[in-house]
Amino acid sequence: MRRFRWAMAILVISITGYVIGSGGMWERVSNDFMKDDTPYGPGDFRIRGEQVISMKLTNPKTTFKPREERSDPNRAEPTEPWMGDVSEIANRRTVRILAGDTENGVERRFEERAQQADWWLSPDWNTLYLATGWMDYHIDPAPGEHYTPQLTQLFKSTDQGESWEKLRWPEGQNISALRFLDAQRGYLIGWGPHIWRTEDGGEHWEEIPVPAKSRDPENERKRFDLVALGQDNVLRMAFFDQMRGESVIYSMSWGETEPRFEVGIGDYGVNDIAANEHGEVYILARKGRPMSLMPKEQLVHHPTSIWHWNGNQLAELYEFDSDLVGYALYITPEEGLLFDGVNEGSLLGKDVTAVSYDGGADWRIEDEGRSAQGGYYDTRTGERWRVAGYSLYRREIP
């Protein structure tokens, strides 16, 4: 009798489209999410109601000749010669903007060659900014140069991606990240590192001086370890200061002329920063120098911690088990803290979330299962989205 009741319970759950797991209740929204766009991948997607929009980096489609047409029947042979050329495959990578809905699927609204891209979507979904980077992988660096030149482009749409304007931008100035307050005001961050600011929707850009110690004369493509824009509209940047021997965070409010030193966090790599409207800063950091400065084998037993900075005092709130590595930190609509990461101690790798509603003292850790193909958390609505095996799932984390 008990077995019958248990089987019926499973049947009811599957019929209603809900999945119960150690990570709580997920609602299955779609069984074929973005399945028709090939090569498959959900990209960096956003959902509002049933509407979907996504920025997707993709490789070109490659195929192979049937066995009877191969010069050697025992070896796979590409249909076209370029499909066997690694550099040509890299040259044919593109970025796409796709839009549609969860019921009827999506369509391509924009496509441009790119091996690197970042985007920003306004809260009303009308305005999009897209930065792309492409380089010719067949060309070696010029004599005396360390790198092959990259072609950078900046695009803007004000009608949900239906039409696009290419903004004026120096092709040799890389753009790695976009951080915008609204459709008119925002920042671009590039190699060097460099920061530019606009207050007129990208018509004009002003370069902002960066901290001198964030640069490396030997590396013209140096990046910040992290750049975050908080709910307090303050731009914060983190990097490892070799002179101080610690990671440091600089900050800049809108209208200020240059970043100012805010706090040093010691021998940690900063993975994310979240700030609320009142300027309280929460820092997700991993013990040891940033991953870019450490061999992977030295990252074993380097725990991830949550820190709090109130403008005067830095305090460690919580240290997770060393197997749990956090890569994102969010402030939920109800002022909770959401840790997003992976369990590297798992053989196959599992997604993990942890939530705290008491300021970071206590955490509810949840196993969300094997790594997803894509997903994100909406800090405005509290909706968490996850894609696994063509299926789109949704849950609430208020």
Side-chain angles (χ1 to χ4, degrees):
M1 185 66 177
R2 287 181 180 178
R3 290 182 180 179
F4 175 76
R5 288 176 179 173
W6 178 242
M8 288 299 294
I10 293 175
L11 178 61
V12 170
I13 290 170
S14 63
I15 290 174
T16 57
Y18 284 85
V19 177
I20 303 294
S22 57
M25 181 173 286
W26 290 91
E27 174 191 3
R28 185 185 291 111
V29 176
S30 172
N31 289 321
D32 54 0
F33 184 64
M34 296 182 65
K35 188 175 183 179
D36 292 335
D37 188 73
T38 56
Y40 180 71
D44 184 19
F45 66 91
R46 301 290 182 268
I47 296 177
R48 185 179 63 177
E50 294 183 354
Q51 289 183 293
V52 178
I53 191 164
S54 179
M55 186 275 288
K56 176 180 173 180
L57 282 164
T58 184
N59 284 316
K61 184 178 180 180
T62 56
T63 57
F64 294 88
K65 294 179 180 179
R67 185 182 181 88
E68 61 272 15
E69 295 181 12
R70 301 175 192 169
S71 55
D72 181 348
N74 296 317
R75 295 183 61 184
E77 187 174 337
T79 305
E80 298 182 39
W82 69 264
M83 295 179 180
D85 185 333
V86 174
S87 295
E88 187 61 25
I89 290 175
N91 281 358
R92 294 179 184 231
R93 290 174 183 157
T94 65
V95 61
R96 297 171 186 166
I97 298 294
L98 304 114
D101 59 64
T102 55
E103 181 68 24
N104 301 309
V106 297
E107 62 178 9
R108 297 182 197 177
R109 291 191 175 172
F110 181 85
E111 187 161 14
E112 179 69 27
R113 63 179 184 175
Q115 296 119 0
Q116 169 193 310
D118 194 32
W119 72 320
W120 181 81
L121 175 66
S122 63
D124 63 7
W125 277 40
N126 287 330
T127 303
L128 293 86
Y129 288 90
L130 174 68
T132 66
W134 181 90
M135 66 178 67
D136 189 342
Y137 274 72
H138 288 301
I139 299 177
D140 294 326
E145 299 291 333
H146 295 291
Y147 304 100
T148 300
Q150 185 191 72
L151 172 66
T152 302
Q153 299 184 92
L154 181 61
F155 301 92
K156 179 182 179 181
S157 172
T158 56
D159 55 8
Q160 298 189 6
E162 291 284 359
S163 60
W164 292 83
E165 172 191 5
K166 182 179 177 181
L167 300 179
R168 294 190 303 271
W169 187 259
E171 292 182 347
Q173 291 279 16
N174 162 267
I175 301 171
S176 302
L178 297 86
R179 301 289 185 267
F180 276 73
L181 283 72
D182 53 49
Q184 297 297 311
R185 301 177 298 161
Y187 302 93
L188 302 179
I189 298 93
W191 291 335
H194 289 278
I195 300 176
W196 299 272
R197 177 169 56 196
T198 184
E199 58 184 8
D200 58 8
E203 290 295 320
H204 303 89
W205 295 91
E206 168 196 15
E207 183 163 6
I208 305 296
V210 300
K213 293 177 182 177
S214 68
R215 291 189 165 172
D216 180 355
E218 302 297 320
N219 182 8
E220 64 190 55
R221 295 189 174 179
K222 179 79 178 293
R223 303 186 187 201
F224 292 115
D225 294 326
L226 179 84
V227 179
L229 185 61
Q231 294 178 7
D232 56 354
N233 288 342
V234 174
L235 187 73
R236 292 180 173 86
M237 56 225 70
F239 61 92
F240 193 83
D241 187 328
Q242 298 283 0
M243 295 291 292
R244 294 174 63 102
E246 66 173 344
S247 284
V248 295
I249 297 172
Y250 279 68
S251 63
M252 182 174 63
S253 299
W254 185 262
E256 292 184 337
T257 56
E258 62 182 280
R260 54 180 172 80
F261 175 81
E262 188 165 16
V263 65
I265 194 172
D267 195 22
Y268 281 80
V270 177
N271 288 3
D272 203 4
I273 300 172
N276 64 21
E277 294 178 353
H278 309 294
E280 288 188 283
V281 180
Y282 296 91
I283 304 165
L284 177 67
R286 192 176 187 189
K287 184 68 175 176
R289 298 193 175 191
M291 293 180 65
S292 60
L293 300 177
M294 294 183 65
K296 187 174 181 180
E297 59 270 16
Q298 292 184 19
L299 289 171
V300 180
H301 305 306
H302 284 256
T304 300
S305 299
I306 306 291
W307 297 73
H308 177 251
W309 167 248
N310 63 6
N312 296 305
Q313 184 177 2
L314 179 70
E316 185 178 26
L317 301 177
Y318 192 85
E319 181 180 283
F320 291 92
D321 183 270
S322 59
D323 286 341
L324 303 184
V325 179
Y327 54 80
L329 182 67
Y330 306 98
I331 297 175
T332 75
E334 294 186 2
E335 293 292 312
L337 293 173
L338 172 62
F339 164 104
D340 198 347
V342 295
N343 183 348
E344 293 192 342
S346 168
L347 182 63
L348 298 176
K350 292 185 176 181
D351 290 336
V352 172
T353 58
V355 186
S356 172
Y357 289 103
D358 62 0
D362 299 296
W363 294 79
R364 185 180 75 245
I365 299 173
E366 301 180 334
D367 176 0
E368 293 193 324
R370 293 181 62 178
S371 297
Q373 293 159 291
Y376 80 102
Y377 177 71
D378 191 326
T379 57
R380 294 181 178 84
T381 65
E383 293 174 311
R384 181 164 172 84
W385 299 89
R386 173 183 172 90
V387 177
Y390 298 118
S391 292
L392 174 67
Y393 299 93
R394 173 191 172 279
R395 64 178 289 209
E396 296 276 352
I397 304 180

